[in-house]
Amino acid sequence: MKSKVLVVGGTGYLGKRMVKACLEEGHETYVIQRPEIGLDVEKLQILQSFKRQGARLVPASFSDHRSLVDAVKMVDVVICTMSGVHFRSHNLLVQLKLVEAIKEAGNVKRFLPSEFGMDPALMGHAMEPGRVTFDEKMKVRKAIEDANIPYTYVSANCFAAYFAGNLSQMGTLLPPTDKVLIYGNGNVKAVYVDEDDVARYTIKTIDDPRTLNKTLYLRPPENILTQRELIHKWETLSGKQLEKSTISEQHFLSPIRDLDYAQQVGIGHFYHIFYEGCLTNFEIGDKGEEASELYPEVNYTRMDEYLKIYL
C-alpha cells in the first residue's frame, strides 16, 4: 500500500516537481493551498493543474495551527519544499510550525523537511553570512528529532539549472559565450543533479525502510564532475573553445564585504563547493545512503545530455 503524501510548497521551484513525481509513482497526493496566495494567479493555475492530474488541494495556513494539524492528519508522509535561497524567498524556520503540527497530529510515518542542498550537518564550519542556511536547517532537524518524528533528509547537491547550464558561473543561468572563470585549479569535484531527478529519487525514499531516519545523498556517479570536466563537456557539445581564466581563493573572497547580503551568501556557498569540495570530500557513513545505489532503476540525466538544451 503506497503512502498518502502531503507536499508543502507545491507551487514552488522544487515543489511542483515533487508533486509530479509523487503522482507518477502512484501516491495519493495532497497539496497545501494557502489563503495567502491572494491574487497570485500563476500559483493558483499551478494548483488547478495538479487538481486536474489527480492531486487533492488542502486549504491550510502557517498562521492557523489547527488547519495544519488537520492537513497532516490526512496523510502518512509530509514533504516540505519551502525555499531557502536568499535571492528568492527564505522561509526555512517557518517549518518549525509544521513540525509542531506533525507532532500534535501524531500519525506521520515520515517527514522530509526542506533540505535538498549540501548536508548542513557537515557545514558547522561554514563562513558568515552563508552559514545561516545550514544553521536554520539544523534548528529544524533538532526540532524534528526532539519530537521523535521519523524523517529522511535529502542532500541533493548542485541543482543543474543553477550550477551546470552556466558552467558554474555566478550571476547568470546561461553558458558563457567566450570567457569562463575557473575557481582555483578547477579540479575540485562537485555533484550536479537535474531537478526532476531530485524529485524522482526523493519520492522513492518515502516507503523505503532503508532511508528511515537517514540522510539520502544524491551522487549519481557520472555527474560527479570537476568544473573543468563540466566546461569540457560544453565545449565538446558546442564545438567552441572558451577562454579560461582562474581566480584564486583569496581573490574570490576579497570583495565579499562590499556585496549585498544575498551575494555574500552565494559567494560563501560557491567557496565551500568549488574550493573546499564540501560535496565530495567525505565518505557516506552508516547514517546515510546514496540514491543511485538504492534506486538503479532511475535513469538519471547525465550532464552532457542536460547541456544540450542550451545549444
Side-chain angles (χ1 to χ4, degrees):
M1 189 71 179
K2 292 199 175 223
S3 289
K4 297 178 183 177
V5 182
L6 176 69
V7 180
V8 182
T11 60
Y13 181 67
L14 193 58
K16 53 181 180 275
R17 292 172 166 85
M18 214 62 80
V19 174
K20 179 173 179 278
C22 214
L23 290 166
E24 285 174 352
E25 281 285 316
H27 291 278
E28 199 171 305
T29 305
Y30 297 72
V31 185
I32 293 281
Q33 180 172 337
R34 296 161 67 193
E36 293 86 351
I37 200 168
L39 297 177
D40 193 334
V41 70
E42 289 178 344
K43 283 190 176 179
L44 178 63
Q45 288 174 346
I46 291 169
L47 288 166
Q48 288 170 335
S49 77
F50 293 156
K51 194 173 177 181
R52 285 194 293 273
Q53 293 166 58
R56 290 179 60 178
L57 304 183
V58 184
S61 170
F62 281 101
S63 58
D64 179 356
H65 175 70
R66 181 51 42 201
S67 72
L68 281 182
V69 174
D70 291 344
V72 165
K73 281 183 174 174
M74 302 169 97
V75 299
D76 311 300
V77 173
V78 178
I79 301 173
C80 187
T81 58
M82 300 191 72
S83 174
V85 290
H86 286 81
F87 58 88
R88 289 167 76 96
S89 57
H90 187 84
N91 303 314
L92 292 172
L93 290 182
V94 177
Q95 292 180 98
L96 294 173
K97 294 182 179 181
L98 187 57
V99 172
E100 283 300 310
I102 292 169
K103 183 179 173 182
E104 182 175 326
N107 62 300
V108 167
K109 66 178 192 183
R110 196 82 64 101
F111 177 41
L112 288 77
S114 187
E115 295 240 348
F116 309 110
M118 33 188 135
D119 181 358
L122 301 174
M123 299 305 294
H125 65 289
M127 63 175 63
E128 298 281 7
R131 65 171 298 129
V132 64
T133 307
F134 313 120
D135 291 345
E136 290 185 357
K137 285 179 178 178
M138 291 307 290
K139 277 184 190 169
V140 175
R141 284 192 181 192
K142 184 176 188 307
I144 292 166
E145 292 169 30
D146 285 352
N148 291 315
I149 296 167
Y151 63 83
T152 298
Y153 305 138
V154 179
S155 175
N157 297 307
C158 292
F159 285 179
Y162 285 108
F163 288 92
N166 55 5
L167 309 184
S168 304
Q169 305 298 285
M170 296 191 77
T172 180
L173 295 174
L174 296 170
T177 52
D178 46 11
K179 296 177 182 177
V180 63
L181 191 62
I182 292 175
Y183 306 114
N185 61 16
N187 294 322
V188 170
K189 295 271 188 188
V191 187
Y192 302 89
V193 188
D194 180 296
E195 290 86 335
D196 291 330
D197 292 340
V198 173
R200 286 188 199 105
Y201 281 125
T202 299
I203 299 306
K204 291 275 183 193
T205 70
I206 59 181
D207 285 325
D208 188 345
R210 297 173 298 178
T211 57
L212 179 62
N213 296 339
K214 287 192 173 183
T215 300
L216 182 79
Y217 295 92
L218 273 54
R219 284 187 180 180
E222 290 183 46
N223 289 358
I224 301 173
L225 303 167
T226 68
Q227 192 192 4
R228 285 188 185 272
E229 287 170 335
L230 182 69
I231 291 166
H232 179 69
K233 285 181 182 294
W234 174 248
E235 289 179 332
T236 303
L237 278 172
S238 65
K240 185 176 180 185
Q241 293 292 306
L242 296 171
E243 183 188 322
K244 299 168 187 70
S245 57
T246 60
I247 180 166
S248 70
E249 184 176 316
Q250 184 183 355
H251 279 101
F252 181 73
L253 292 175
S254 59
I256 195 164
R257 287 179 189 154
D258 304 324
L259 301 171
D260 67 34
Y261 187 78
Q263 289 174 311
Q264 289 183 29
V265 169
I267 287 264
H269 292 183
F270 266 67
Y271 167 77
H272 291 299
I273 294 167
F274 294 108
Y275 289 91
E276 184 182 277
C278 70
L279 304 182
T280 56
N281 64 0
F282 63 94
E283 294 296 317
I284 296 171
D286 56 6
K287 291 184 178 177
E289 297 286 349
E290 199 285 307
S292 62
E293 288 180 9
L294 290 187
Y295 313 113
E297 69 274 15
V298 175
N299 182 23
Y300 65 86
T301 304
R302 277 68 176 169
M303 283 303 105
D304 34 14
E305 190 63 34
Y306 182 85
L307 287 169
K308 286 179 182 174
I309 59 174
Y310 296 91
L311 288 171

